[in-house]
Amino acid sequence: MTTVLVVAAHPDDELLGCAGTLVRHVRAGDRVAIAILAEGATSRSSADGRDEHAAELERLRDAARAAAATIGAEPPEFFGLPDNRMDGEVLLDVVHRLEATVARVKPDIVYTHHRGDVNIDHDVTHRAVITACRPLPGHTVTRILAYETVSSTEWMSPASAPPFAPNWFVDISDALETKIAALRCYEAEMRPFPHPRSYQAVEHLARWRGASAGFKAAEAFMLVRQTVPKGGQDR
């Protein structure tokens, strides 16, 4: 059995980026764990008003739990870091918390954000993953894949940060319907088309990524690291 860990900055990023791929892991009998680092709501006001947003924060956590159940993953772990303010956190502190999660879950594969997104939390999350999953002797992580997140990845200018250039495609033709169903747990986070965070845009992107690789639908990734230990098998 392969163990998978998704490290997402915000509730719903784990679905937008790789829900179809996670469904495939679950159907293959793999264990899927999710860590969500930031709370996802308090940036909607000028201050970090957690009391003001208490009901919304709880709603987001409930949505994340329901979405995880829909795709067959374990209930998410929430770090509760400030939304869109993770660049104000000490990176080493984020890394230490993530290292504890990695040590407990012992993932073979880690999925996380592309570093070149508009959202600063995605960048911090990516860097924390790279440090927490550095290939020390005996480390379990053999593959790190970076996913795209609609309404962030495509909004960064290639003149400002490394563009998302996928080199890894997962056929989700049989999992796209479940991905959309799981996204409906985050109904309040979705927007009307043609906003990229709409059901139609998510499906259009999956169809285009699929067409790019000869599938009816796909999720695209950038391979960050792959190691094949002695006696190990490629998964």
Side-chain angles (χ1 to χ4, degrees):
M1 179 181 73
T2 298
T3 297
V4 171
L5 174 64
V6 183
V7 184
H10 312 104
D12 81 4
D13 289 343
E14 77 284 11
L15 296 188
L16 294 170
C18 59
T21 302
L22 300 182
V23 170
R24 284 189 47 149
H25 277 295
V26 170
R27 289 175 180 171
D30 297 340
R31 176 191 177 199
V32 175
I34 299 170
I36 298 175
L37 306 194
E39 24 82 359
T42 57
S43 67
R44 295 164 188 172
S45 60
S46 58
D48 183 3
R50 294 184 186 236
D51 292 340
E52 176 188 347
H53 292 278
E56 188 176 8
L57 292 173
E58 190 53 40
R59 176 185 59 74
L60 276 173
R61 291 193 174 200
D62 287 344
R65 296 184 188 102
T70 300
I71 63 174
E74 297 178 358
E77 177 184 6
F78 302 101
F79 283 26
L81 298 175
D83 181 42
N84 275 289
R85 296 183 176 91
M86 283 181 62
D87 55 332
E89 299 292 303
V90 176
L91 180 60
L92 184 59
D93 293 342
V94 181
V95 169
H96 282 168
R97 292 188 64 178
L98 189 54
E99 283 178 333
T101 298
V102 171
R104 175 175 50 80
V105 175
K106 301 186 186 318
D108 303 289
I109 302 172
V110 173
Y111 296 96
T112 193
H113 290 280
H114 171 57
R115 188 180 179 188
D117 287 4
V118 163
N119 192 294
I120 190 65
D121 292 350
H122 297 186
D123 179 24
V124 175
T125 299
H126 179 97
R127 285 188 286 154
V129 166
I130 294 302
T131 306
C133 298
R134 56 198 184 279
L136 297 169
H139 207 277
T140 63
V141 179
T142 58
R143 181 184 302 160
I144 301 174
L145 287 163
Y147 53 74
E148 57 186 332
T149 310
V150 292
S151 75
S152 189
T153 304
E154 77 281 7
W155 281 349
M156 175 59 84
S157 168
S160 302
F164 184 76
N167 55 4
W168 191 284
F169 297 84
V170 177
D171 184 348
I172 64 163
S173 303
D174 295 332
L176 179 57
E177 185 177 347
T178 305
K179 173 172 182 167
I180 298 297
L183 275 173
R184 294 194 184 283
C185 298
Y186 288 111
E187 185 74 36
E189 306 303 309
M190 302 303 287
R191 300 290 180 268
F193 186 78
H195 194 287
R197 189 180 290 268
S198 62
Y199 299 112
Q200 295 94 329
V202 169
E203 178 169 358
H204 291 331
L205 178 61
R207 297 298 183 192
W208 173 244
R209 292 307 189 193
S212 301
F215 306 135
K216 292 181 179 178
E219 286 171 338
F221 302 86
M222 289 185 69
L223 178 63
V224 177
R225 179 188 299 134
Q226 172 77 63
T227 59
V228 182
K230 182 179 180 180
Q233 294 182 341
D234 189 21
R235 299 178 179 84

